[in-house]
Amino acid sequence: MLERAEALGITTAFQRAEMMAACPIGAGQSGTCCKNCYMGPCRITKEGQVGVCGATMQTISARNMARAIAAGSAAHSDHGRDLAFTLLATAEGKAQGYEIRDVAKLWNVAKKYGVQTQGRSKEDVAKELALKGISMFGQQQGETIYIQHAPEKRQKIWKQVGVVPRGVDREVVDVLHRTHMGDDQDPEHILLGAVRCALADGWGGSMLASDFSDILFGTPSPNVSQVNLGVLKSDEVNILVHGHEPTLSEMIVAACQDPAMQEYARSKGAKGVNLAGICCTSNEILIRQGIPSAGNFLNQELALITGAVDAMVVDVQCIMQALPEVASHFHTKIITTSPKVKITGALHVEFDEHKALDQARELVKMAIDNYPNRGETMIPEQQSDLVPGFSHEYINYMLGGTFRASFRPLNDGIMSGRIRGVVADVGCNNPRTTQDATHNYLVRELLKNDVLVVETGCGALASAKMGYLLGDAAMEYAGPGLREICEAVGIPPVLHAGSCVDNTRILTVLTQMAAEGGLGDDISDIPAVGLAPEWMSEKALAIGAYCAASGAYVIFGTTSPIASDDVVQKLMTEDWEAKYGGKMEFVMEPEEILRKSLEHIDKKRAALKLPAWEPTRHGKSGDWRMEELFKLPVEARAEALYGTPIPA
Ligand code: XCC
Ligand code: SF4
């Protein structure tokens, strides 16, 4: 696609990253440029230098980090707020096309929020729940509702340190205030505010987003789908949805499935309507509805360069401003939909949940009407199958079925050393490093080391493209112990848990693992690590901070926003580890990320007095049978097993 882009005179993020050298003192590099007032900007290039107001390198570095975390928390949590309003409108019967699809989840979440369910209609319960959810944003005192669902020990730590978030909006405002010129100028204290804000996101706005999305659109469970640019079709109308929100995209799914729309597409000479996604909007409809994904963050421009996209409908976050320019070389329509997002050169159809289904139909019709304008196309053949949809509910269920749903087998697997530990590999792509390469390298190496991998966001799509989200990956890459568990349970060794806001599902899994017993009594005891090796967004920093404050060791790759400042580095590692049991580190070398992850897992195993991991101790059961099976081509395996071929 890059060659085609060059031939057509189109630039992409890959070239722009080369043309635009990163500012050596800016936020993404050393983080020591302060723009917080207009006596500056002040650029600190060496220790001892201070800004016009006297601000030190440490203060500037910590302030920049805190502001990024606040912006990231705001973005995630605001997405949650919008879902709460959609749930309210749905409960009141005012949201066209929406319904409460997952009543069991509604009941469970209502219980968490202390909303009575006995003898009440689901609409009634949903309305009270939505209002309680909305009030969590503007809450001024107390603690966000989800805090009390963290392990007890964790809650005590947060109380002791003084980082229990009050309300979501309050914590974001607090960070913006304290980082204004002339306010908080103690790096440790600034980061305290940042952590409280991140917790308001992780154990607040983001967690609400996952919960309320499940209520409205269904709790994810495994399905089979496809990923990569090859999901685009040369003879069908291609619509891409891109961004983060499931609200409008779910209605577009419904509109595309409408036989009348398919018929309309045929009247325009297409064989049908093909819907696919990019980034986390893609993840949302992939994990629930099995809608194929055209790929992750750095695929957004490449998808347009196929010339085969009739409309790209975008909502919020991670949408490159370059899209309308790339689209202008083709017939492709870029359509913004969020009341918060307009892009010069794009069409705007403002989303209104009261008439969402009508709007979705209008958008699909626009794409179909655009199909006859399509010029020459070039669609790569590459696509891979994947099995996404591992919500925490499903992970619990899959380990024991309806009657014995439990984290026991997972804990036992870790305790016996079949599974060495768990790694969450999440986060973005960044054109400053080869797309997907670090994600893929780390996942492969972790699997070889018997580490179970859970993924979300663009990291999950990076693995999906390589086929790691299939059971076969267990055979190909996983160490013998991990393979034994994956094959016995019937799961891939890499579990796709959803979008960026769904990192909170991982917090829930870790909490339940701690509650199950045998792995300590807090998240920080579990042999687990969080990775964001190709991160680029402020949201990633918010996720990293709430995971670290929840007790996890979190490693970021590619670039460090605190590179030149030892003091802030020490605060976020040694100091945070002493306070929270978790820490956040920036490590540039992929090999080093791997080494540190495994070292941490082994350290936690030793602290729990678990047997040291041994690569060859496990995995002998039934292996000869599996090996025989995997020598056969995929199509022949079902026949060898069951005596019947897989229907095409
Ligand atoms: Fe965006 Fe969520 Fe990053 Fe991907 S991973 S580039 S934030 S889409 Ni969350
Ligand atoms: Fe410079 Fe201080 Fe103003 Fe920052 S707040 S720009 S360091 S004078």
Side-chain angles (χ1 to χ4, degrees):
M1 296 324 290
L2 292 178
E3 279 167 18
R4 177 166 156 90
E6 210 178 309
L8 296 173
I10 302 170
T11 56
T12 63
F14 297 92
Q15 284 106 39
R16 292 192 299 271
E18 271 170 26
M19 293 186 301
M20 174 61 67
C23 168
I25 41 184
Q29 292 293 310
S30 61
T32 50
C33 172
C34 182
K35 300 180 293 176
N36 291 17
C37 91
Y38 296 85
M39 298 187 279
C42 299
R43 299 170 304 161
I44 311 292
T45 53
K46 54 179 187 288
E47 186 56 62
Q49 210 180 3
V50 293
V52 175
C53 68
T56 61
M57 184 185 258
Q58 291 74 48
T59 294
I60 292 171
S61 210
R63 272 200 307 223
N64 286 341
M65 174 61 74
R67 285 208 155 191
I69 288 172
S73 302
H76 276 149
S77 291
D78 202 38
H79 163 170
R81 182 200 325 264
D82 285 342
L83 279 158
F85 277 104
T86 304
L87 183 63
L88 179 62
T90 306
E92 290 174 336
K94 292 180 189 156
Q96 186 201 24
Y98 298 92
E99 57 183 331
I100 293 156
R101 273 198 217 158
D102 196 333
V103 182
K105 180 92 185 204
L106 170 67
W107 253 233
N108 282 336
V109 179
K111 210 188 295 163
K112 266 193 219 168
Y113 277 69
V115 173
Q116 288 301 322
T117 52
Q118 197 89 40
R120 297 177 73 184
S121 71
K122 59 181 185 188
E123 288 75 20
D124 225 24
V125 172
K127 184 172 173 178
E128 190 184 332
L129 176 64
L131 289 170
K132 277 207 160 163
I134 291 165
S135 73
M136 184 175 74
F137 291 88
Q139 194 179 315
Q140 300 302 319
Q141 280 168 334
E143 48 190 64
T144 58
I145 204 110
Y146 288 102
I147 290 295
Q148 66 202 65
H149 299 286
E152 247 165 63
K153 207 163 153 191
R154 192 67 2 220
Q155 295 180 47
K156 272 200 200 113
I157 292 171
W158 290 333
K159 282 198 183 102
Q160 204 181 355
V161 185
V163 288
V164 177
R166 296 154 294 187
V168 178
D169 295 352
R170 177 156 191 195
E171 301 311 344
V172 174
V173 169
D174 179 287
V175 171
L176 290 181
H177 179 183
R178 72 170 64 208
T179 54
H180 182 274
M181 194 271 147
D183 281 309
D184 202 357
Q185 283 151 106
D186 175 79
E188 185 183 346
H189 197 246
I190 292 167
L191 291 175
L192 209 79
V195 161
R196 186 163 55 188
C197 178
L199 288 173
D201 179 28
W203 296 87
S206 271
M207 208 171 254
L208 174 147
S210 296
D211 274 349
F212 286 21
S213 300
D214 287 354
I215 293 169
L216 283 166
F217 309 117
T219 301
S221 61
N223 62 66
V224 183
S225 191
Q226 288 76 37
V227 65
N228 219 339
L229 296 177
V231 306
L232 297 171
K233 303 229 166 93
S234 61
D235 52 3
E236 292 187 27
V237 175
N238 290 308
I239 303 175
L240 285 180
V241 285
H242 171 25
H244 280 76
E245 293 179 343
T247 19
L248 177 58
S249 50
E250 281 278 354
M251 291 305 113
I252 295 180
V253 173
C256 286
Q257 286 164 350
D258 183 349
M261 277 297 171
Q262 296 285 345
E263 187 51 46
Y264 185 61
R266 284 190 285 275
S267 79
K268 298 282 172 183
K271 285 210 169 123
V273 182
N274 178 44
L275 179 66
I278 297 269
C279 278
C280 283
T281 299
S282 179
N283 282 321
E284 295 281 352
I285 53 175
L286 173 67
I287 56 171
R288 295 197 177 86
Q289 320 297 351
I291 302 296
S293 174
N296 46 7
F297 181 65
L298 285 178
N299 274 32
Q300 60 184 287
E301 291 173 289
L302 305 181
L304 300 187
I305 292 163
T306 62
V309 178
D310 302 295
M312 183 188 255
V313 180
V314 303
D315 49 75
V316 295
Q317 304 165 18
C318 301
I319 300 147
M320 289 193 194
Q321 190 172 353
L323 293 178
E325 153 55 28
V326 177
S328 72
H329 294 259
F330 309 97
H331 74 305
T332 308
K333 284 191 157 77
I334 306 288
I335 307 157
T336 51
T337 56
S338 166
K340 279 166 271 213
V341 177
K342 269 195 180 184
I343 304 177
T344 312
L347 296 167
H348 188 72
V349 175
E350 195 151 304
F351 174 63
D352 176 356
E353 63 215 357
H354 302 102
K355 46 176 187 178
L357 193 53
D358 285 343
Q359 282 184 321
R361 287 199 194 103
E362 183 195 335
L363 291 165
V364 173
K365 194 169 166 292
M366 277 166 80
I368 297 173
D369 287 335
N370 198 24
Y371 177 79
N373 301 325
R374 204 189 269 186
E376 182 223 346
T377 65
M378 190 187 118
I379 303 175
E381 279 168 14
Q382 278 78 7
Q383 59 168 305
S384 315
D385 284 344
L386 78 151
V387 177
F390 292 90
S391 55
H392 51 272
E393 284 90 345
Y394 192 83
I395 295 177
N396 193 15
Y397 164 79
M398 81 191 182
L399 293 168
T402 303
F403 296 107
R404 287 198 182 269
S406 151
F407 277 84
R408 195 68 255 156
L410 179 58
N411 283 22
D412 281 347
I414 294 173
M415 289 166 71
S416 69
R418 282 188 174 80
I419 298 175
R420 187 172 179 175
V422 183
V423 162
D425 173 73
V426 309
C428 325
N429 283 149
N430 185 327
R432 305 263 174 220
T433 186
T434 307
Q435 183 183 10
D436 300 342
T438 317
H439 283 297
N440 292 336
Y441 161 78
L442 288 168
V443 169
R444 270 192 314 269
E445 294 303 316
L446 290 165
L447 294 184
K448 284 184 204 160
N449 280 280
D450 283 332
V451 173
L452 179 70
V453 180
V454 184
E455 294 195 304
T456 61
C458 291
L461 295 175
S463 287
K465 287 187 234 174
M466 302 300 285
Y468 301 162
L469 302 185
L470 290 173
D472 293 16
M475 195 63 189
E476 208 170 334
Y477 301 105
L482 175 63
R483 225 174 77 194
E484 199 171 33
I485 301 239
C486 290
E487 286 165 0
V489 180
I491 51 163
V494 184
L495 305 177
H496 186 333
S499 63
C500 309
V501 292
D502 291 329
N503 285 307
T504 58
R505 295 191 200 274
I506 300 173
L507 294 179
T508 306
V509 167
L510 293 171
T511 302
Q512 294 184 350
M513 284 170 75
E516 184 62 43
L519 295 175
D521 51 10
D522 190 8
I523 294 173
S524 60
D525 296 329
I526 298 170
V529 178
L531 305 177
E534 300 179 27
W535 75 286
M536 63 85 200
S537 82
E538 294 170 312
K539 289 181 292 166
L541 293 174
I543 296 166
Y546 72 62
C547 287
S550 300
Y553 177 23
V554 182
I555 309 178
F556 280 59
T558 304
T559 184
S560 168
I562 51 170
S564 59
D565 186 16
D566 301 345
V567 175
V568 173
Q569 281 171 34
K570 199 160 161 278
L571 282 172
M572 294 178 75
T573 50
E574 281 170 43
D575 181 62
W576 280 15
E577 193 163 31
K579 279 194 179 104
Y580 311 113
K583 59 184 170 177
M584 190 160 150
E585 206 173 357
F586 296 84
V587 179
M588 298 306 106
E589 287 302 316
E591 295 76 17
E592 193 55 10
I593 297 179
L594 176 69
R595 194 192 62 75
K596 283 182 168 246
S597 303
L598 294 173
E599 184 184 74
H600 181 80
I601 285 172
D602 290 342
K603 189 178 93 184
K604 291 290 170 184
R605 291 188 66 87
L608 288 166
K609 303 205 164 48
L610 298 178
W613 173 76
E614 275 178 46
T616 52
R617 172 149 17 127
H618 299 287
K620 305 285 187 291
S621 61
D623 256 13
W624 61 273
R625 187 75 189 89
M626 295 300 294
E627 266 157 30
E628 227 166 53
L629 197 65
F630 274 80
K631 273 186 212 140
L632 300 173
V634 179
E635 317 80 65
R637 285 177 203 165
E639 193 163 5
L641 262 180
Y642 310 113
T644 48
I646 304 177

